[in-house]
Amino acid sequence: MIYYEVVCFYCRQTFNVYEGTPEYKYAKENRDGKHVCEPCSHTIQLEARLNFFKKA
């Protein structure tokens, strides 16, 4: 299976994105972009929701 090793900009750990996923397509098109792993993606979404409701 084909994959890219990318670095999460949130936790700075390397992780693999496998062929056939949207993350793989993004990593292939934008090698120097900001990529996040699944746990960090979930954390970022939760923080965004909490901050949204605190402002309201």
Side-chain angles (χ1 to χ4, degrees):
M1 185 159 240
I2 300 172
Y3 65 90
Y4 284 119
E5 285 187 356
V6 294
V7 179
C8 176
F9 85 97
Y10 196 75
C11 66
R12 303 284 187 224
Q13 295 182 358
T14 59
F15 65 100
N16 298 333
V17 289
Y18 292 97
E19 184 179 23
T21 61
E23 293 85 11
Y24 178 85
K25 183 179 177 185
Y26 181 68
K28 186 176 180 181
E29 292 174 355
N30 191 0
R31 295 288 300 214
D32 296 329
K34 294 182 178 178
H35 307 285
V36 293
C37 57
E38 283 293 321
C40 292
S41 174
H42 183 69
T43 303
I44 291 169
Q45 289 177 2
L46 287 176
E47 287 179 2
R49 288 179 186 150
L50 289 173
N51 287 334
F52 178 76
F53 288 117
K54 284 182 182 178
K55 290 181 181 179

